Amino acid sequence: MSESDILNPERQREEVETGWPLELGSDDLRRMVDAAMERVTAHLEALPRQPMSYTSGGEELARSLREKEMPETATPFTDLLATVFDQGLQKTYNTPSPGYLAYIPGGGLLHAAVADLIANAINRYVGVWVAAPGLVELEANVLRWFCQMVGYPEGSLGVLTSGGSLANFTAIVTARRIRLEEDFLRGTLYCSDQVHHSITKAAMLAGFPVNNIREVPSDEQQRIEIEALKAQIDSDRQAGMEPFLVVGSAGTVNTGAVDDFEALADVAHERSLWLHVDGAYGGFFALTERGQQTMGGLELADSITLDPHKGLFLPYGTGCLLVRDKETLRRAHHLEADYMPEMQQAPDLVDFCELSPELSRDFRGLRVWLPLKMHGFSVFREALDEKLDLAAWAYEELRSIDHMEIVAEPQLSILAFRLAPPDFDDDAGDELNRELLRRINGRQRVFLTATTLGGRFVIRICVLSFRTHLDRMRQALEDIREAVGEALAH
Ligand SMILES: Cc1ncc(COP(=O)(O)O)c(C=O)c1O
């Protein structure tokens, strides 16, 4: 079989007539992977030089790729690669670039791509223990390591989810089922005004009226105000509501603020509330000494969301929920069915379908396990330490720019700033900062985003990509300085 056979539409057509075209042979698989790898490596080599975000024309691109008819005949693989790489990949945010300092950067460790290839090729079923006990154990190892990282005791565990939103959702449903009766509509939950909107969405989807979600004000460091929280819980209880859950943040999306977990745990304990911590952005900084100091008391939470596709630099589609007591997760999700195999009763073994809303799912544990085993946690700790250093460096540099106001100092690796010259009122200041952001991003070397703090438009930097190092941060500061000069002269 010649090398081009698998890429040849004639051959694909012949296969339809004569063989079993869906049963790819080893040689064909190798050729497909090689052809794909050529495009992937070329793309990755160019990545650092590619523009950060070129989305104008996205509408035309999307419409040009619309296919009304179901394809009935074969298309050569190389043509399909061209569709993905030459068209689909255009007009995107360059999320894996070292210059992506926007929102919360995703990762994309290539080890995980290889792990996914293996996991999908072997396609074993990890929803129930008996179907793949060894592979389930590899995934359980990852969860136990995470529990160790956050300081959880024996008996803790969790599940890997598709992301932070699903982890938060699972946490809220678990807290609801453990702390409230079936009739739960008087249940109220508490979070700061800085909490990620996935918490509100999760509460909504878990069946709570939106009015039962109490947004507690935050202090000048964007941390939940403990006295206001207590007062709100107590007045709700007096009014006949059933406070059952408080959510803290281990790194808010706006500014990376970390709540006071010891104080939150006291409040939760005294008032019998479940404490959930959303550490989707910041949780993995617990690997570092500085992160541990900033997030003291994290282990007091009943549940913690982590997002390996953020803080462990993995590709999108990898979240995690940890619970201090594995039984809580099991009690919330356990359900029997006649056609299911018997579940494990041994406390050291786990059927993941008993801890999660999912039954069938991908073997996502492998994409976490492989890079962690290949490098060890030490390499991830160093990389996260570097991000803390880079954010601290950017903070010092920004402070040296005239009229630059640091609105949020980095507690972890996010900071927020605003250009505030004296002769600009608040509204004119907002417009000036919008212009500044346009000019920074227009240079296409870094991509920053903005948010609103205290009603004012502020620009954020979030350093979290494993590809971001000092060279790119220097470019970021160069671009910011130049853009400040231009925006003020404008
Ligand atoms: C603090 C926080 N929580 C939750 C989420 C939601 O996570 P995901 O996008 O993985 O669903 C995010 C996403 O940026 C976040 O920053």
Side-chain angles (χ1 to χ4, degrees):
M1 196 185 306
S2 84
E3 183 155 332
S4 59
D5 273 356
I6 182 65
L7 315 175
N8 175 351
E10 281 312 310
R11 167 135 189 284
Q12 283 171 252
R13 227 166 276 133
E14 268 166 37
E15 275 178 331
V16 173
E17 283 158 18
T18 59
W20 304 102
L22 295 183
E23 294 185 34
L24 211 57
S26 304
D27 290 342
D28 285 349
L29 173 62
R30 219 171 256 123
R31 284 190 194 104
M32 265 184 94
V33 172
D34 286 349
M37 200 44 67
E38 231 170 81
R39 299 299 308 247
V40 168
T41 48
H43 171 72
L44 291 172
E45 278 158 21
L47 191 67
R49 297 182 303 281
Q50 288 165 359
M52 289 308 313
S53 104
Y54 251 128
T55 51
S56 77
E59 228 174 281
E60 291 81 354
L61 172 70
R63 296 215 167 92
S64 75
L65 286 171
R66 190 163 299 161
E67 298 180 60
K68 288 209 181 91
E69 300 301 326
M70 292 161 65
E72 284 293 338
T73 53
T75 309
F77 182 55
T78 41
D79 289 2
L80 300 176
L81 284 175
T83 305
V84 175
F85 283 89
D86 300 336
Q87 294 176 277
L89 247 179
Q90 304 305 311
K91 316 289 179 195
T92 55
Y93 290 177
N94 195 348
T95 43
S97 164
Y100 194 81
L101 308 172
Y103 306 105
I104 309 289
L109 285 184
L110 300 174
H111 318 57
V114 177
D116 275 5
L117 174 64
I118 298 170
N120 292 344
I122 61 179
N123 199 35
R124 288 304 193 273
Y125 189 75
V126 292
V128 297
W129 182 88
V130 71
L135 299 179
V136 167
E137 197 60 24
L138 297 188
E139 186 161 316
N141 278 336
V142 166
L143 291 158
R144 286 190 211 102
W145 298 333
F146 291 170
C147 286
Q148 191 184 338
M149 175 189 82
V150 301
Y152 266 176
E154 191 80 5
S156 55
L157 203 69
V159 282
L160 294 179
T161 63
S162 58
S165 299
L166 261 289
N168 283 335
F169 175 69
T170 306
I172 290 180
V173 171
T174 302
R176 190 199 86 195
R177 289 185 50 80
I178 297 294
R179 293 297 164 107
L180 296 173
E181 301 295 324
E182 293 262 299
D183 176 5
F184 58 79
L185 289 184
R186 298 184 81 73
T188 48
L189 54 138
Y190 302 81
C191 54
S192 88
D193 56 9
Q194 296 296 307
V195 84
H196 191 268
H197 73 284
S198 59
I199 294 291
T200 320
K201 194 193 232 182
M204 234 166 63
L205 296 177
F208 291 98
V210 175
N211 282 342
N212 291 22
I213 307 165
R214 305 286 196 249
E215 227 178 56
V216 179
S218 50
D219 62 19
E220 66 286 351
Q221 283 187 295
Q222 295 87 43
R223 292 147 56 112
I224 192 165
E225 277 186 18
I226 299 294
E227 290 308 315
L229 170 67
K230 287 185 195 167
Q232 182 71 58
I233 296 172
D234 293 345
S235 86
D236 283 340
R237 194 158 269 154
Q238 270 172 11
M241 300 302 283
E242 293 175 31
F244 79 102
L245 166 69
V246 56
V247 179
S249 296
T252 59
V253 64
N254 270 342
T255 63
V258 177
D259 287 323
D260 180 343
F261 301 132
E262 282 169 7
L264 278 181
D266 282 346
V267 175
H269 186 72
E270 284 158 10
R271 289 163 175 78
S272 301
L273 269 60
W274 181 283
L275 172 58
H276 173 64
V277 170
D278 179 3
Y281 152 64
F284 281 107
F285 283 105
L287 281 175
T288 69
E289 216 175 295
R290 280 175 285 179
Q292 269 184 16
Q293 275 165 16
T294 309
M295 298 190 286
L298 182 61
E299 74 284 358
L300 301 171
D302 294 292
S303 54
I304 303 171
T305 286
L306 300 173
D307 233 353
H309 66 200
K310 296 185 174 73
L312 272 191
F313 319 125
L314 293 178
Y316 294 120
T318 328
C320 176
L321 176 70
L322 301 180
V323 285
R324 187 136 48 89
D325 178 2
K326 172 186 152 194
E327 275 311 296
T328 56
L329 212 45
R330 210 182 77 84
R331 269 168 51 207
H333 292 90
H334 166 82
L335 202 60
E336 285 172 14
D338 292 343
Y339 43 81
M340 288 292 289
E342 213 173 294
M343 299 289 131
Q344 295 315 300
Q345 300 308 321
D348 64 325
L349 302 177
V350 58
D351 287 286
F352 285 124
C353 71
E354 291 235 288
L355 307 186
S356 142
E358 290 179 296
L359 182 56
S360 301
R361 64 168 174 85
D362 56 329
F363 176 25
R364 52 184 76 115
L366 195 68
R367 84 172 77 108
V368 191
W369 179 86
L370 188 81
L372 285 174
K373 285 291 283 182
M374 279 182 77
H375 294 288
F377 272 95
S378 58
V379 165
F380 289 84
R381 181 175 299 111
E382 279 163 27
L384 287 163
D385 251 326
E386 183 202 21
K387 306 312 155 205
L388 296 175
D389 289 341
L390 293 175
W393 178 87
Y395 165 66
E396 291 300 333
E397 292 290 313
L398 282 168
R399 268 167 27 122
S400 70
I401 298 175
D402 281 350
H403 310 306
M404 191 60 90
E405 184 192 335
I406 309 294
V407 187
E409 293 178 21
Q411 293 179 35
L412 294 168
S413 72
I414 298 179
L415 60 147
F417 60 94
R418 175 177 162 93
L419 191 58
D423 42 349
F424 281 70
D425 66 18
D426 282 346
D427 288 341
D430 280 355
E431 201 33 59
L432 176 70
N433 280 281
R434 280 198 186 90
E435 180 61 24
L436 176 60
L437 182 61
R438 272 194 291 273
R439 288 177 183 275
I440 297 166
N441 287 344
R443 285 167 162 73
Q444 296 290 345
R445 296 202 294 181
V446 294
F447 186 44
L448 310 187
T449 49
T451 188
T452 306
L453 269 189
R456 301 275 56 108
F457 182 90
V458 299
I459 304 175
R460 312 158 62 254
I461 290 180
C462 178
V463 195
L464 199 61
S465 168
F466 65 102
R467 292 190 173 101
T468 303
H469 307 294
L470 189 58
D471 56 342
R472 189 60 67 126
M473 293 304 290
R474 285 193 198 286
Q475 291 177 4
L477 263 295
E478 253 172 51
D479 291 355
I480 292 170
R481 282 204 173 85
E482 282 178 27
V484 164
E486 289 171 8
L488 287 174
H490 181 59

